[in-house]
Amino acid sequence: MRHGVIAATGLLAVLAFAAALLLPWSSLLALYAANADLGVSFLVELRLPRAALALVYGAMLGAAGAAIQALFGNPLASPDLTGTTSGAALGAVVTAYIIGAASSFAMAIGAVFGALASLLLLIGLAGRRAETATLLLAGLAISALAGALTTLALALAPSPFAFYDAYSWLMGSLIDRSLPQLGFAAVPAFVAILWLARLAPALDRLALGEEVADSLGHDLGRLRLQVICLSALGVGACVAICGAIGFIGLVAPIFARRLTGGHAGRAILPAALIGALLLSLADLASRFAPLGRTLPIGVVTALVGAPFFLWLVARMRWGIAR
């Protein structure tokens, strides 16, 4: 049954990708009728990168969220709530607007280092197996600090239009991305997801306790370093191209663990599929906003994810109270 649900999730993600690629039909058919080559170019060069980036970024957030939750032993740990995405955004902004290196490669390097610094700072503040309250406080503090420093970097940027240029990117955007940018985000993301999936057995045993994992021959220091570096690599590369998008890395692993009997490590690949589906659906929703406007995709995920997060916190509190 669970394998069937996981397969169905993958199929739905493919269908969402197809819908993002082809909808709305009207503009695509009109272009193709007027000029077949122009219609194909519109499909391949504009629609394809956007639809594929939704899959790639969503999958990376889902996989990283599952791995981070397994590492901290906490269901509220996620790339955005631990400050990973905020740190990545800060690193990319500093690289592009302060250092002046605005290429995709340079921004990705800056984003990876920003995400890595945030995760290392979180472990330093909250500890390796932090309690929920400690983790949330440390993560929110890091996110707030990174957000403030990002605003400061834009205010101090030599370009007076830095805020305007960075606005849509900071809110999360898949619009007007190119095939090279797709490849630039997809390659690190796929490497990170597959490598994180290989760590699933070790992460499952870590859930039994550090002593048990250590007795079974797992190098816990190396395991933590791998999870941190891979999460920073994949999320940082995606943030550099698409900006910061929240809550997918929180929601997808929670549903994925229900499909894997509560095994956080085994939830990495299902979480990647669920994350890809959720972000693809969010991208579709952003296109069909009222008044014919396109909403930033980060706004869509926040509108859905924030109430879910509040419900989850309340549910955990009620569980403790009982």
Side-chain angles (χ1 to χ4, degrees):
M1 179 63 179
R2 289 171 180 168
H3 292 293
V5 174
I6 293 172
T9 301
L11 177 60
L12 288 174
V14 172
L15 292 176
F17 168 76
L21 193 63
L22 300 175
L23 295 178
W25 293 95
S26 56
S27 57
L28 184 61
L29 291 176
L31 279 175
Y32 192 81
N35 187 316
D37 292 337
L38 184 60
V40 172
S41 296
F42 176 76
L43 182 68
V44 173
E45 296 180 16
L46 291 179
R47 291 275 184 89
L48 178 60
R50 179 174 181 173
L53 276 170
L55 287 181
V56 169
Y57 197 175
M60 185 64 243
L61 288 174
I68 291 172
Q69 288 179 9
L71 182 66
F72 285 97
N74 195 309
L76 295 183
S78 66
D80 44 321
L81 294 180
T82 56
T84 308
T85 51
S86 299
L90 172 62
V93 165
V94 169
T95 302
Y97 292 98
I98 301 299
I99 299 176
S103 67
S104 296
F105 179 76
M107 288 180 66
I109 294 297
V112 169
F113 275 103
L116 185 61
S118 295
L119 278 171
L120 291 175
L121 180 59
L122 180 72
I123 289 180
L125 290 175
R128 297 169 180 172
R129 308 289 283 179
E131 295 180 354
T132 297
T134 305
L135 181 71
L136 284 178
L137 287 173
L140 290 174
I142 293 170
S143 296
L145 177 62
L149 291 176
T150 299
T151 303
L152 179 62
L154 290 171
L156 297 177
S159 171
F161 304 105
F163 273 110
Y164 177 79
D165 292 339
Y167 172 75
S168 63
W169 177 83
L170 287 172
M171 298 300 292
S173 177
L174 306 176
I175 302 173
D176 296 331
R177 299 308 188 260
S178 64
L179 287 173
Q181 287 177 314
L182 167 62
F184 200 86
V187 172
F190 280 132
V191 170
I193 291 170
L194 293 177
W195 201 329
L196 286 172
R198 289 185 58 194
L199 301 177
L203 290 171
D204 279 336
R205 288 162 187 156
L206 181 61
L208 301 175
E210 294 187 359
E211 296 80 6
V212 174
D214 186 62
S215 67
L216 292 173
H218 297 292
D219 187 338
L220 299 184
R222 181 180 178 184
L223 177 62
R224 293 189 188 96
L225 184 62
Q226 286 178 313
V227 171
I228 289 171
C229 290
L230 290 169
S231 298
L233 173 67
V235 173
C238 290
V239 168
I241 300 300
C242 306
I245 296 175
F247 292 103
I248 298 293
L250 170 70
V251 176
I254 290 175
F255 287 111
R257 282 200 309 276
R258 291 182 175 273
L259 300 178
T260 58
H263 295 280
R266 295 181 204 170
I268 289 175
L269 288 180
L273 290 176
I274 295 172
L277 173 61
L278 291 177
L279 195 55
S280 295
L281 293 176
D283 181 42
L284 284 171
S286 72
R287 298 186 191 187
F288 298 102
L291 305 177
R293 299 180 181 179
T294 299
L295 292 176
I297 193 170
V299 172
V300 177
T301 59
L303 287 174
V304 177
F308 179 85
F309 171 69
L310 294 175
W311 171 83
L312 184 63
V313 172
R315 184 169 177 266
M316 292 179 66
R317 182 184 176 186
W318 293 332
I320 293 173
R322 290 177 185 175

